[in-house]
Amino acid sequence: MNKAIVTGHSKGLGAGITAALLAEGFNVLGLSRSALPGFEAGLEQVALDLGDADALAAWLDGGELESFLEGAERALLINNAGLVEPIAPLGRQGAAAIARAVTVNISAALVLADAFAAVSTHLSDRRLAHISSGAGRNAYTGWSVYCATKAALDQHANGVREDALPGMKIESLAPGVLDTGMQSTIRGSSEEDFALRAQFVELKETGALADPGAVGAKIVAHMIGEKFGTETVTDIRSV
């Protein structure tokens, strides 16, 4: 039996990944603040705010992740949940927004990766994908926090690869520029906070944003394929 855990599964790219996994016959455990409507068979959903470190720790202590993976022959973890905010230059970002971004984008992903590795030692095929970003590899004005958090995922994947855990394959995978709620947030920012705002508005107006369902399907096809893990820091547009 194939099983997968997806964070931020209820919207955007996470919903696309979840739909593709279900189509491939995976049982999916979705972790998100909101539920994904329209799916039932094969999908379990947990209402969990990944910005609440104590809530995540309590959920993991409850043993639900280990129970979900019982009977699995192959297991995937896709750390998809992420926040682009705060969008602002240094000095206007705010303590609470910075802390939440670090918690969701880095801490939750690393904590779940550790827990996944700990409860999947019996599997000979276990795969972990961090959904990263080109922003982790290229600097953008107003995005210093987002850039830093995505770069952290890239380096975490590099470090895990050095651990050479039995049966574990890992990639930090950039999905490209997608037509999601995150893009709406970006377009809703001010020119003062994000000098490149007009470029992202143009991407939407010219239809240059990729469909999250199609990209989600491509990510799943790559994850279950033979080449996953060959390179650690990757971009779905080039695999």
Side-chain angles (χ1 to χ4, degrees), residues 146-222:
Y146 187 64
C147 291
T149 59
K150 291 303 184 178
L153 295 183
D154 290 351
Q155 278 298 85
H156 181 261
N158 284 328
V160 170
R161 183 172 184 176
E162 293 299 311
D163 291 336
L165 300 176
M168 180 69 77
K169 295 181 179 181
I170 185 169
E171 284 189 18
S172 192
L173 181 62
V177 187
L178 311 180
D179 194 4
T180 64
M182 184 176 288
Q183 285 294 314
S184 297
T185 299
I186 293 167
R187 294 193 300 273
S189 62
S190 68
E191 294 281 356
E192 181 183 15
D193 287 335
F194 185 50
L196 301 178
R197 177 185 173 276
Q199 295 181 25
F200 284 78
V201 171
E202 184 179 4
L203 289 173
K204 175 65 173 179
E205 292 177 346
T206 60
L209 298 176
D211 175 67
V215 175
K218 188 173 182 180
I219 288 173
V220 170
H222 176 58

Side-chain angles (χ1 to χ4, degrees), residues 83-103 142 144-146 193:
L83 297 173
V84 70
E85 305 99 324
I87 301 175
L90 193 66
R92 293 210 304 272
Q93 295 167 347
I98 293 169
R100 183 165 179 81
V102 170
T103 301
S144 59
V145 174
Y146 187 64
D193 287 335

Side-chain angles (χ1 to χ4, degrees), residues 10 14 30 47 66 79 81 84 95 110 130-131 135 140 164 166 175-176 218 223-225:
S10 63
E66 186 173 11
N79 280 316
V84 70
L110 271 55
H130 293 319
I131 301 303
Y140 293 90
K218 188 173 182 180
M223 279 200 76
I224 65 179

